[in-house]
Amino acid sequence: IKTWKKNNQKIVFTNGCFDILHLGHIKTLSESKKLGDKLVVGLNNDESVKVLKGKNRPVNNNYHRSMMLAALSFVDLVVFFEEKTPYNLIKLVLPNIITKGGDYEKKDVIGGDLILSKGGQISIIPLLPNLSSSKLIRKYKL
């Protein structure tokens, strides 16, 4: 990240559980990458997914989720965080842009206040309808 910044590359950050990778994730990640030069994905670790999603989650463990994300050509770096929110990771990365899916409003994006105060921006990526890991799990009773 230091090298990217030294080379004046625009860093985009997004985060999530990415438990069961689906087309909605792919769209959000690919659209996020289009906003900058490098895409950093903050990935909730297994314990923080359990806190957020319940005792039967994640379906895919840290290794599986991170390897699937890292295999995507538009993802440049995957970094785990263990807290409930990625605020400390955002503070460390200090990206130029934070993106989130359309189920968020700019004012509710964790770390948005910090990035805006540094001259960065927040971008909300429209969601594809009816796609979420939780909905897929309910549908297929995983």
Side-chain angles (χ1 to χ4, degrees):
I1 292 173
K2 286 180 183 177
T3 301
W4 297 339
K5 287 183 176 191
K6 183 178 158 189
N7 292 329
N8 293 317
Q9 292 179 295
K10 190 182 286 187
I11 299 171
V12 180
F13 177 91
T14 194
N15 70 281
C17 299
F18 301 99
D19 193 5
I20 298 176
L21 202 58
H22 55 71
L23 185 59
H25 291 138
I26 300 299
K27 179 182 181 283
T28 298
L29 293 167
S30 65
E31 292 297 316
S32 294
K33 175 61 181 258
K34 290 177 185 176
L35 298 173
D37 300 304
K38 299 293 181 181
L39 177 60
V40 176
V41 178
L43 184 61
N44 292 78
N45 75 357
D46 289 347
E47 290 307 311
S48 69
V49 174
K50 281 187 190 324
V51 168
L52 291 168
K53 304 290 185 176
K55 64 181 173 77
N56 294 325
R57 301 281 297 276
V59 172
N60 290 297
N61 67 29
N62 284 336
Y63 179 75
H64 293 171
R65 294 181 294 120
S66 64
M67 290 302 290
M68 286 187 286
L69 288 169
L72 300 171
S73 62
F74 36 80
V75 173
D76 296 292
L77 180 64
V78 178
V79 182
F80 288 107
F81 65 96
E82 58 189 40
E83 300 88 6
K84 190 174 179 180
T85 76
Y87 189 82
N88 289 328
L89 180 56
I90 292 167
K91 206 161 78 170
L92 186 63
V93 173
L94 285 177
N96 303 93
I97 302 170
I98 296 177
T99 66
K100 288 300 285 181
D103 50 342
Y104 281 81
E105 292 187 33
K106 286 184 180 185
K107 66 179 179 58
D108 298 323
V109 173
I110 299 294
D113 55 342
L114 173 64
I115 297 312
L116 291 173
S117 76
K118 303 282 185 189
Q121 62 189 69
I122 301 166
S123 182
I124 303 299
I125 310 291
L127 294 179
L128 293 177
N130 298 314
L131 276 176
S132 77
S133 295
S134 296
K135 286 180 182 179
L136 288 171
I137 288 168
R138 284 192 298 275
K139 180 177 179 179
Y140 295 106
K141 296 173 181 45
L142 295 176

